Amino acid sequence: MHIFFFFKTLTCFYFCRYASLYFCCAIEDQDNELLTLEVVHRYVELLDRYFGNVCELDIIFNFEKAYFILDEFIMGGEIQETSKKSISLMQSLIN
């Protein structure tokens, strides 16, 4: 389920459910909505690769790992690394 909700003229809110996780993103009018869809999808793929079948309890009890994955993937609001293999390699080096 994907919902785009436009608020005033400057912001679009995006709500979605992936793999029993709910995501909410605020998108400014000059940003690309499809890129936001892809970023959320790639983040869930990375979480699935690390946790197996990711669920909300994985995020709750391993918040540091989930944040590390996000930090390796996105920096300063921009995509830093798109390769799943490269991010997985960094995860294995830290563990």
Side-chain angles (χ1 to χ4, degrees), residues 2 5 8 17-20 22 24 26 28 31 40 47 51 54 56 58 64 70 74 80-81 83 93:
H2 304 278
F5 173 70
K8 298 189 181 179
R17 180 178 178 213
Y18 276 108
S20 77
Y22 291 91
C24 176
E28 293 182 347
D31 290 335
V40 171
L47 290 174
F51 291 114
V54 67
E56 59 197 37
D58 293 325
E64 299 85 14
L70 184 64
I74 296 176
Q80 174 182 346
E81 179 63 60
S83 171
L93 291 175

Side-chain angles (χ1 to χ4, degrees), residues 28-62:
E28 293 182 347
D29 61 340
Q30 68 268 15
D31 290 335
N32 188 346
E33 292 92 357
L34 293 177
L35 182 62
T36 304
L37 288 169
E38 186 61 34
V39 166
V40 171
H41 182 74
R42 180 56 57 101
Y43 183 54
V44 172
E45 286 179 345
L46 291 168
L47 290 174
D48 270 340
R49 180 175 273 201
Y50 183 77
F51 291 114
N53 190 10
V54 67
C55 68
E56 59 197 37
L57 293 177
D58 293 325
I59 306 296
I60 291 170
F61 293 119
N62 298 299

Side-chain angles (χ1 to χ4, degrees), residues 57-95:
L57 293 177
D58 293 325
I59 306 296
I60 291 170
F61 293 119
N62 298 299
F63 178 78
E64 299 85 14
K65 301 290 184 190
Y67 189 77
F68 176 77
I69 294 169
L70 184 64
D71 193 40
E72 286 295 314
F73 178 50
I74 296 176
M75 178 181 279
E78 299 293 328
I79 297 174
Q80 174 182 346
E81 179 63 60
T82 58
S83 171
K84 288 187 265 186
K85 288 182 181 181
S86 176
I87 295 172
S88 296
L89 177 66
M90 289 301 296
Q91 293 168 357
S92 64
L93 291 175
I94 295 299
N95 291 333

